[in-house]
Amino acid sequence: MKKTTLLVAFLLATTSMHLIAQDQRLEQRVDSVLHLMTLQEKIGQLVLYTSDWAVTGPTLNEGYMNDIRNGNCGNIFNAHSVDYVRKLQKIAVNDTRLHIPLLFGYDVIHGYKTIFPIPLAEAATWDLFQIQRAAHVAASEAAAAGVNWTYAPMCDITVDPRWGRVMEGAGEDPYLGSQVAAARVHGFQGMNNNLADTSTVLACVKHFAGYGAPLGGRDYNSVDMSERTFRDVYLPPYEAAIKADAMSVMTAFNSLNDVPCTENKWLLTDVLRNELGFKGLVVSDYNAVEELINHGVAANGKQAAELAINAGMDMDMQSTLYQKHLKQLVEEGKVSMATIDEAVRRVLRVKFMLGLFDNPYLYCNNAREKRVIESPANMKAAYEEAQRSLVLLKNKNNVLPLRKGERLAVIGQLATSSNDLLGAWRADGDTIGVPSLFDELRKYNGSKNTIYAEGCQKEGYSKKGFPAAIAAAQKADKIVLVIGEDCNWTGEAASRANIKVPGVQTDLLAKLTALHKPIVVVLMNGRPLDLSREDTLADAILETWYAGSRGGKAITSVLFGEYNPSGKLPITFPRCVGQIPLFYYEKNTGRPIYLPDPKYKSRYIDCPNTPLFPFGFGLSYTTFHFSDITLSNNKLYPNDSIQASVTVTNTGKREGEEVVQLYIHDLVADVVRPVKQLKGFHKISLQPGESKKVTFTLTPDMLAFYRLNMTYGTEPGKFDLFIGDSSDHVNQTSFTLEK
Ligand code: NOJ
């Protein structure tokens, strides 16, 4: 026993000594390069320019090409594919005085060429293995195409589905968002964080910070929130990603409490570096340094550059202002040489970590590019994650699953669209080899039994196609109506003031109900929609988001019951746009809705307070029973833990997966606490009749929050504890946190 302890201690000591030695060696190498650099060359390392793609292939603006050659631009984004990256890298390595290699960044958000479901859909899997694997596949494909830096994960919490970039994050919840953020970083950078491994890329945590809370849901708009809300709700996912060792951070376009994030010293230095201990590189968003002028905090480009670099912004994406003004700012003493050196060190450090100084062409291997990209294994991973991301919202009279051989009328423009399946931010993904949902339905169910009519388009008001769709439906046993949003209706600069299904798609649904045939609505969309009308008209509703390169096949497998749906909503679906923001972790008011008073309480007079579909909700083709909760102790002491358990039984006839969710509520505190907060989840699989005991361990730190005096910690007292299958369907017990 003693011997083992000694051995473990010895191993730990030698490992940490080894790591310290490695760190020291890295710092020495960074400094050895830094010492050789002129101020101009240093500034070049803080500059990032985009490459374009023309019809004939990739192209770099001649000016930027010269900037690389002259050492004025040390980093490029949007350049990918081995031959092209090699061509640009050669310029940096052969033509510049110090031969410093370029970084190559790209928005590899949910896949490089093999496209996975959009990030919001990935979060709907509540399956961290799938999410991490998807990021890893994306990283390995990107790294095989010359890219070594991805602009992901986006860790922005949002409670506003009007915001188009809701599709890019993990939804509304800080706990789920944090788990997903860490899984994505581990997927991109690899579990042992060896960035020089050619199947990994450098991750970039974005958009720091609060970008998901623009006023009115309008992209880029100002963000105003209390510091407590910022720290309790918005900060945790960024923090989790940084704790998972993400080595770069991108700042947000917006202002946070009247200070643009691009020049926000409190955010970039006090919080990010001093509190969170971030050691990596900070990059601006596209042209954001120059946009400080539009924000009205800088009078000109020179002042914008000064504000940004002095706040802690290391690298300027695209604005050219660092290149134009930093030298003069240093000469005038407005920016210190130490500030420049520190920023350059951060850039050089990641270049060393990525292995680029040892081999600038590490990511330029044509054979690997051919072998890795769109490999069958990668496509299989995309298929499996897509299956798990679909959320069954309604299934009246068990109209689903469909039976093979049933006569189906498949209706809707989105049914035949391969393009929409890929969603926004699809990197190098294209529709070649991506079957549409209709292709897959016909393949599975036979072309004789599977007919198609467009009915109407996904946008616009023409009803010309309605009669043909009705005629097709008349010949069918069941109708599969595929409706939703064009994939470009979400993503950057795609905010909506209205979140209904666009155009006349729902009018077509209403017409089809007159046939009195079962109607399955398959939704393709990248945000929570107002589905109140669809919910009254359809028999079944399957939320499929944008499900990626193998989305068509995954949706088919769920519709026919080859895979039993297991996705759960990572974000609340409101009943109407007027309820926004609506989220499950709201706070009680002094006049909560449950009071008997008929009038003077916090509610709408023309709409219920409840969502249409709550956070954590999703149906299965089987049913699950949750036992009462048992606690190992109903008192939780400091430095101790208690266990909360339930037994879940599959009471239906098919195998299925359930996401068992644990929530807490702090009943009395010195500031108002949310009515529920997610603190744990387990996804389990059960055979028919099978039971499993699911146990959560609760420790006091899980109950901490920012107290009245803004210190972080716990307050003793009573807590409610809930375990269930969604945020509004739970069993309940309570415990006390002791002093
Ligand atoms: C702007 C977007 O906000 C950001 O997420 C992205 O990484 C950059 N453009 C680069 O494409």
Side-chain angles (χ1 to χ4, degrees), residues 385-653:
E385 194 189 46
Q387 288 179 308
R388 285 156 182 78
S389 72
L390 311 185
V391 186
L392 184 61
L393 296 176
K394 180 175 182 187
N395 196 15
K396 199 169 96 193
N397 303 327
N398 293 327
V399 59
L400 286 176
L402 304 171
R403 283 189 314 276
K404 198 168 184 165
E406 278 183 315
R407 287 174 306 160
L408 298 182
V410 181
I411 298 172
Q413 190 188 15
L414 284 164
T416 54
S417 169
S418 300
N419 184 50
D420 287 290
L421 282 175
L422 302 179
W425 290 115
R426 80 250 321 248
D428 197 37
D430 57 40
T431 54
I432 299 167
V434 174
S436 69
L437 172 57
F438 178 63
D439 292 336
E440 293 288 359
L441 285 170
R442 194 172 42 183
K443 188 164 144 203
Y444 186 91
N445 197 42
S447 31
K448 201 166 63 59
N449 295 321
T450 318
I451 51 172
Y452 174 73
E454 184 181 86
C456 63
Q457 302 214 323
K458 55 195 168 183
E459 291 163 39
Y461 293 91
S462 168
K463 296 186 177 175
K464 272 210 317 260
F466 280 23
I470 290 163
Q474 266 160 346
K475 295 188 210 130
D477 302 317
K478 285 183 183 161
I479 301 162
V480 177
L481 179 66
V482 189
I483 57 177
E485 300 173 299
D486 180 284
C487 65
N488 289 318
W489 279 45
T490 47
E492 190 178 346
S495 297
R496 292 185 64 188
N498 174 344
I499 54 165
K500 288 188 195 300
V501 173
V504 290
Q505 297 176 99
T506 307
D507 293 342
L508 176 59
L509 167 61
K511 278 267 181 263
L512 291 167
T513 57
L515 302 179
H516 303 293
K517 300 201 177 195
I519 305 181
V520 176
V521 163
V522 173
L523 286 168
M524 291 189 190
N525 51 295
R527 58 159 57 80
L529 292 172
D530 162 359
L531 299 172
S532 355
R533 197 165 160 223
E534 293 73 13
D535 187 44
T536 60
L537 297 170
D539 297 285
I541 303 180
L542 183 67
E543 173 58 78
T544 72
W545 319 103
Y546 300 115
S549 304
R550 288 294 169 265
K553 189 169 172 202
I555 299 168
T556 303
S557 79
V558 166
L559 289 175
F560 281 96
E562 297 282 346
Y563 179 79
N564 188 353
S566 66
K568 299 275 184 172
L569 295 179
I571 188 162
T572 301
F573 276 44
R575 293 174 189 274
C576 64
V577 78
Q579 287 183 310
I580 296 171
L582 187 67
F583 47 98
Y584 83 89
Y585 51 88
E586 66 172 358
K587 288 164 185 160
N588 251 340
T589 65
R591 295 186 169 188
I593 181 100
Y594 54 72
L595 292 182
D597 188 299
K599 181 165 170 67
Y600 295 101
K601 47 192 187 180
S602 178
R603 60 161 186 159
Y604 299 102
I605 54 172
D606 56 352
C607 172
N609 279 16
T610 53
L612 187 62
F613 300 113
F615 175 84
F617 173 77
L619 300 169
S620 162
Y621 296 149
T622 188
T623 46
F624 298 99
H625 174 262
F626 282 57
S627 72
D628 287 342
I629 304 168
T630 54
L631 290 182
S632 61
N633 190 343
N634 58 9
K635 290 185 186 344
L636 173 58
Y637 292 95
N639 304 317
D640 206 352
S641 63
I642 56 173
Q643 270 78 43
S645 311
V646 287
T647 299
V648 183
T649 306
N650 182 344
T651 47
K653 293 202 175 58

Side-chain angles (χ1 to χ4, degrees), residues 77-78 106-107 109 151-152 154 165 168 206-207 211 219-220 250-251 253 284-286 317 425 492:
F77 69 118
N78 290 338
Y106 194 32
D107 288 285
I109 309 292
Y151 300 140
M154 184 182 103
R165 300 194 80 168
E168 245 185 280
K206 69 187 191 186
H207 304 81
Y211 183 46
D219 207 3
Y220 317 125
M250 185 187 294
T251 53
F253 282 123
S284 79
D285 205 339
Y286 199 103
M317 184 193 287
W425 290 115
E492 190 178 346

Side-chain angles (χ1 to χ4, degrees), residues 42-56:
K42 288 178 184 175
I43 293 168
Q45 289 303 306
L46 309 182
V47 170
L48 170 65
Y49 289 142
T50 183
S51 168
D52 291 325
W53 285 76
V55 188
T56 45

